[in-house]
Amino acid sequence: MRTVQYIPRATEKAYVEQTKNTYVFYVPMKASKQEIAKQISAAFKVTVIDVRTTVRKGKPTRFSRGKHAYPGITNRQDKKVAYITVKEGDKIPVFEEVKDAKEDRKEAKKTEKADKKAEKKAKEAEEKK
């Protein structure tokens, strides 16, 4: 079994599919469904139930070879996309939302302020007694 890179697709459609326990990856053109299932289950430690694949043809693109050169048309590279369904309860962490660092800092500051207020109230209560 050769090791290849599977690139997750981070699109709105992929996130909708994620709610159905289906994850979307770009895979190599020569990869078979069995190979894809083995690689994904080994890499992410999940149980793969189903693999569906499709090949997306590359769109034609215009290009030019300079100001006076003859312009031409070429095609973008074809891409193979795999829709991988995993067992209920299994998750692939690549698609989990990661909190922003700024949000983490804000939450930390809020908890620090709350802790300081609680300490201050405790000291005032002790002084009154």
Side-chain angles (χ1 to χ4, degrees), residues 74-86:
T74 186
N75 287 324
R76 290 189 184 141
Q77 195 173 12
D78 297 344
K79 293 182 179 180
K80 188 172 192 178
V81 178
Y83 294 85
I84 299 161
T85 306
V86 297

Side-chain angles (χ1 to χ4, degrees), residues 17-18 23 27 33 35 61 77 84 91 94 122 129:
E17 287 293 317
Q18 181 181 345
Y23 297 91
V27 296
K33 290 182 179 183
E35 228 177 81
T61 307
Q77 195 173 12
I84 299 161
K91 291 188 177 185
V94 172
K129 290 181 182 180

Side-chain angles (χ1 to χ4, degrees), residues 89-100:
D90 285 352
K91 291 188 177 185
I92 296 178
V94 172
F95 293 94
E96 295 298 319
E97 289 186 24
V98 179
K99 283 189 174 182
D100 196 22

